[in-house]
Amino acid sequence: MASLVSISAPFSLRVLSCTSDHSTRPRASTTLPTSLALQSLRTQNKGLSLVWKPKRRHLIPSIQATAIPLRQEASTQPTSGSNSTSNGAPNRVRVMVIGGDGYCGWATALHLSQKGYDVAIVDNLIRRLFDHQLGLDSLTPISSIHDRVRQWKNLTGKTIELFIGDICDFEFLAESFKSFEPNAVVHFGEQRSAPYSMIDRSRAVFTQQNNVIGTLNVLFAIKEFQEECHLVKLGTMGEYGTPNIDIEEGYITIMHNGRTDTLPYPKQASSFYHLSKVHDSHNIAFTCKAWGIRATDLNQGVVYGMRTDETAMHEELSNRFDYDGVFGTALNRFCVQAAVGHPLTIYGKGGQVGTISSINRSIFLLIACIFRFLIQKQFIFMINGSLFPEQFEMIHSFPFHFKSFDQFICTLQTRGYLDIRDTVQCVELAIANPANPGEFRVFNQFTEQFSVNQLAALVTKAGTKLGLNVKTTSVPNPRVEAEEHYYNAKHTKLIELGLKPHLLSDSLLDSLLNFAIKYKDRVDQRQIMPSVSWKKIGVKPKTIAA
């Protein structure tokens, strides 16, 4: 039988152990090195709770956190997170954010709480462990999850419930579901780095086990305890790969031998991480069909930025900002490199096309200007909004065999990108407009498409305005991927639901660069260069030298 204790800050914690036959009579006590103060669960809970359960396969018990936390009182005014009942009273929507201590999860949890949803965070805090294992650190100082939640309560009066534990442990997840009773689950709780999954065999296995089994457990928890719960799952645009046709939103209608059908869009994953996401998608689609689960898969592009309205309220609410070669994304990494005077590291060609000697630079820029005029007159639609001659300068040729400049741009090593503020907005839209029972929706979640070279050119331009001497360097591409390919992905469904994108602007780039300059003393330049090779992954565990 489990022994329950609740905790509130500041605290020192003592946990009673149980006998091996699960007797309720305590045999001994173990003092944990914390600073929590005990409270009886028979009284009103004032903070977090721990559920202690002995593992049956071990003689020595282990501790897992779950919860019987404080429930905040319902608001007297309906908000974005409220549904009205038949008598007009607000019925608050309860949202469980799995992975709520991470980059996207923390920003989402605060945003939903501010919008009036009842929010609970479920996290095993392993993302912080990854940093310790690999000798990495966020550019921004990150407070503990307990201090973060406490500060949010102090600033807003809103309570975010906290469940610390591993969703791969179904007992823990089941107790969390039964305690919180979510109406929606936002699932960020996965190992999210392709390079991490390619370090060595053990991390490849961990990534697939953690991601696939964790998601399976969430699906079973919904089926067993909250059948009407809507799953909002974070997928990735990387599931699609880089096909030589347009990427649709989840499904494609094909005609074969005179017959037509709408089928899931083909997946071409490019790492063990991306493969885990593909397995997730198949499992979710199956359970929607078999069990009637309602689910939305948000295939997200590369996220940049750091601040949302909520994380900007106090330094203790700051989000993490990764710039290293394992977890750092391209734009964030470029901004940090520019701030410390390190050349922007462009992997391989970075999207550049080969030089064609018959067309010189001046003629190409003239053609670029003509295309800009045609774009402004709406004769030609460009996939990434507006392009300017300065951005064209990085391309030294224009192949005549393309039927349109659109087709030419799509041959670059292009990806979809979005601001972190749009991530939280997309999640809220998905929750507010849930899928139907048995429906598996797929939304492509990005707002713009850029090549790596385009991003480097934008950062160079913005850095020069700030007096930085920004240079670029080409390094061997550690990944196995086509460096020149067609790429045109559809992304209309979230716009139709009301997404108001924050497009990449000069002011946002200035803000990111100034932010990187502010914290440049925290940058470890040893972590900037890529250290993980897709081709060199092996069985031997890879360690990081001090």
mmCIF file of all heavy atoms in Angstrom, residues 49-53 55 62-66 164-166 169 171-172:
data_model
loop_
_atom_site.group_PDB
_atom_site.id
_atom_site.type_symbol
_atom_site.label_atom_id
_atom_site.label_comp_id
_atom_site.label_asym_id
_atom_site.label_seq_id
_atom_site.Cartn_x
_atom_site.Cartn_y
_atom_site.Cartn_z
ATOM 1 N N SER A 49 1.998 16.981 -3.731
ATOM 2 C CA SER A 49 1.916 15.745 -2.983
ATOM 3 C C SER A 49 2.854 14.727 -3.589
ATOM 4 O O SER A 49 3.141 14.769 -4.767
ATOM 5 C CB SER A 49 0.495 15.188 -3.016
ATOM 6 O OG SER A 49 -0.407 16.109 -2.465
ATOM 7 N N LEU A 50 3.307 13.812 -2.779
ATOM 8 C CA LEU A 50 4.109 12.702 -3.274
ATOM 9 C C LEU A 50 3.357 11.420 -3.015
ATOM 10 O O LEU A 50 2.753 11.254 -1.967
ATOM 11 C CB LEU A 50 5.465 12.632 -2.564
ATOM 12 C CG LEU A 50 6.435 13.782 -2.818
ATOM 13 C CD1 LEU A 50 7.703 13.532 -2.036
ATOM 14 C CD2 LEU A 50 6.725 13.900 -4.290
ATOM 15 N N VAL A 51 3.384 10.521 -3.983
ATOM 16 C CA VAL A 51 2.872 9.183 -3.754
ATOM 17 C C VAL A 51 4.052 8.242 -3.775
ATOM 18 O O VAL A 51 4.802 8.203 -4.751
ATOM 19 C CB VAL A 51 1.853 8.777 -4.840
ATOM 20 C CG1 VAL A 51 1.510 7.305 -4.686
ATOM 21 C CG2 VAL A 51 0.598 9.608 -4.692
ATOM 22 N N TRP A 52 4.227 7.511 -2.715
ATOM 23 C CA TRP A 52 5.361 6.595 -2.611
ATOM 24 C C TRP A 52 4.851 5.187 -2.785
ATOM 25 O O TRP A 52 3.917 4.757 -2.116
ATOM 26 C CB TRP A 52 6.010 6.770 -1.261
ATOM 27 C CG TRP A 52 7.115 5.799 -1.006
ATOM 28 C CD1 TRP A 52 8.379 5.893 -1.473
ATOM 29 C CD2 TRP A 52 7.030 4.611 -0.247
ATOM 30 N NE1 TRP A 52 9.100 4.829 -1.044
ATOM 31 C CE2 TRP A 52 8.299 4.024 -0.285
ATOM 32 C CE3 TRP A 52 6.016 3.981 0.468
ATOM 33 C CZ2 TRP A 52 8.590 2.842 0.367
ATOM 34 C CZ3 TRP A 52 6.296 2.811 1.120
ATOM 35 C CH2 TRP A 52 7.576 2.245 1.060
ATOM 36 N N LYS A 53 5.459 4.430 -3.724
ATOM 37 C CA LYS A 53 5.042 3.061 -3.975
ATOM 38 C C LYS A 53 6.268 2.171 -4.104
ATOM 39 O O LYS A 53 7.145 2.459 -4.904
ATOM 40 C CB LYS A 53 4.219 2.969 -5.270
ATOM 41 C CG LYS A 53 2.919 3.745 -5.203
ATOM 42 C CD LYS A 53 2.126 3.567 -6.481
ATOM 43 C CE LYS A 53 0.811 4.323 -6.402
ATOM 44 N NZ LYS A 53 0.009 4.165 -7.619
ATOM 45 N N LYS A 55 8.406 -0.629 -5.580
ATOM 46 C CA LYS A 55 8.437 -1.421 -6.808
ATOM 47 C C LYS A 55 8.452 -2.897 -6.431
ATOM 48 O O LYS A 55 9.273 -3.349 -5.663
ATOM 49 C CB LYS A 55 9.685 -1.080 -7.627
ATOM 50 C CG LYS A 55 9.695 0.329 -8.168
ATOM 51 C CD LYS A 55 8.712 0.444 -9.298
ATOM 52 C CE LYS A 55 8.865 1.802 -9.971
ATOM 53 N NZ LYS A 55 7.941 1.973 -11.077
ATOM 54 N N SER A 62 11.127 2.701 -4.186
ATOM 55 C CA SER A 62 11.502 3.923 -4.899
ATOM 56 C C SER A 62 10.414 4.950 -4.700
ATOM 57 O O SER A 62 9.305 4.614 -4.311
ATOM 58 C CB SER A 62 11.693 3.638 -6.395
ATOM 59 O OG SER A 62 10.476 3.212 -6.959
ATOM 60 N N ILE A 63 10.747 6.187 -4.979
ATOM 61 C CA ILE A 63 9.791 7.274 -4.794
ATOM 62 C C ILE A 63 9.423 7.857 -6.145
ATOM 63 O O ILE A 63 10.281 8.107 -6.970
ATOM 64 C CB ILE A 63 10.380 8.368 -3.901
ATOM 65 C CG1 ILE A 63 10.593 7.808 -2.492
ATOM 66 C CG2 ILE A 63 9.472 9.575 -3.841
ATOM 67 C CD1 ILE A 63 11.245 8.787 -1.568
ATOM 68 N N GLN A 64 8.138 8.036 -6.347
ATOM 69 C CA GLN A 64 7.655 8.693 -7.543
ATOM 70 C C GLN A 64 6.702 9.784 -7.096
ATOM 71 O O GLN A 64 5.977 9.605 -6.139
ATOM 72 C CB GLN A 64 6.910 7.719 -8.455
ATOM 73 C CG GLN A 64 7.806 6.611 -8.979
ATOM 74 C CD GLN A 64 7.005 5.533 -9.638
ATOM 75 O OE1 GLN A 64 5.793 5.496 -9.517
ATOM 76 N NE2 GLN A 64 7.686 4.664 -10.330
ATOM 77 N N ALA A 65 6.724 10.880 -7.811
ATOM 78 C CA ALA A 65 5.833 11.957 -7.437
ATOM 79 C C ALA A 65 4.557 11.853 -8.227
ATOM 80 O O ALA A 65 4.563 11.621 -9.398
ATOM 81 C CB ALA A 65 6.482 13.288 -7.714
ATOM 82 N N THR A 66 3.485 11.966 -7.544
ATOM 83 C CA THR A 66 2.201 12.169 -8.192
ATOM 84 C C THR A 66 1.534 13.237 -7.376
ATOM 85 O O THR A 66 2.212 14.056 -6.804
ATOM 86 C CB THR A 66 1.386 10.868 -8.281
ATOM 87 O OG1 THR A 66 0.156 11.133 -8.906
ATOM 88 C CG2 THR A 66 1.159 10.236 -6.957
ATOM 89 N N ILE A 164 5.017 15.165 -10.575
ATOM 90 C CA ILE A 164 6.385 14.831 -10.963
ATOM 91 C C ILE A 164 6.520 13.323 -11.048
ATOM 92 O O ILE A 164 6.370 12.609 -10.048
ATOM 93 C CB ILE A 164 7.407 15.389 -9.952
ATOM 94 C CG1 ILE A 164 7.218 16.905 -9.796
ATOM 95 C CG2 ILE A 164 8.829 15.060 -10.382
ATOM 96 C CD1 ILE A 164 7.418 17.684 -11.066
ATOM 97 N N GLY A 165 6.779 12.828 -12.238
ATOM 98 C CA GLY A 165 6.908 11.393 -12.440
ATOM 99 C C GLY A 165 7.002 11.060 -13.912
ATOM 100 O O GLY A 165 6.913 11.940 -14.781
ATOM 101 N N ASP A 166 7.151 9.786 -14.210
ATOM 102 C CA ASP A 166 7.419 9.301 -15.554
ATOM 103 C C ASP A 166 6.154 8.696 -16.158
ATOM 104 O O ASP A 166 5.594 7.750 -15.591
ATOM 105 C CB ASP A 166 8.543 8.262 -15.501
ATOM 106 C CG ASP A 166 9.052 7.867 -16.870
ATOM 107 O OD1 ASP A 166 8.469 8.284 -17.897
ATOM 108 O OD2 ASP A 166 10.038 7.114 -16.913
ATOM 109 N N ASP A 169 5.693 4.982 -16.614
ATOM 110 C CA ASP A 169 5.175 4.212 -15.484
ATOM 111 C C ASP A 169 3.662 4.405 -15.465
ATOM 112 O O ASP A 169 3.161 5.454 -15.053
ATOM 113 C CB ASP A 169 5.818 4.713 -14.189
ATOM 114 C CG ASP A 169 5.259 4.030 -12.950
ATOM 115 O OD1 ASP A 169 4.372 3.163 -13.077
ATOM 116 O OD2 ASP A 169 5.708 4.370 -11.841
ATOM 117 N N GLU A 171 1.287 3.197 -13.643
ATOM 118 C CA GLU A 171 0.657 3.430 -12.334
ATOM 119 C C GLU A 171 0.672 4.911 -11.982
ATOM 120 O O GLU A 171 -0.323 5.453 -11.497
ATOM 121 C CB GLU A 171 1.365 2.622 -11.257
ATOM 122 C CG GLU A 171 1.079 1.145 -11.270
ATOM 123 C CD GLU A 171 1.677 0.455 -10.059
ATOM 124 O OE1 GLU A 171 1.188 0.688 -8.932
ATOM 125 O OE2 GLU A 171 2.648 -0.284 -10.243
ATOM 126 N N PHE A 172 1.819 5.531 -12.172
ATOM 127 C CA PHE A 172 1.915 6.968 -11.907
ATOM 128 C C PHE A 172 0.958 7.750 -12.790
ATOM 129 O O PHE A 172 0.221 8.631 -12.322
ATOM 130 C CB PHE A 172 3.343 7.455 -12.145
ATOM 131 C CG PHE A 172 3.445 8.946 -12.372
ATOM 132 C CD1 PHE A 172 3.326 9.828 -11.313
ATOM 133 C CD2 PHE A 172 3.615 9.453 -13.652
ATOM 134 C CE1 PHE A 172 3.389 11.198 -11.519
ATOM 135 C CE2 PHE A 172 3.677 10.824 -13.874
ATOM 136 C CZ PHE A 172 3.566 11.704 -12.800
#
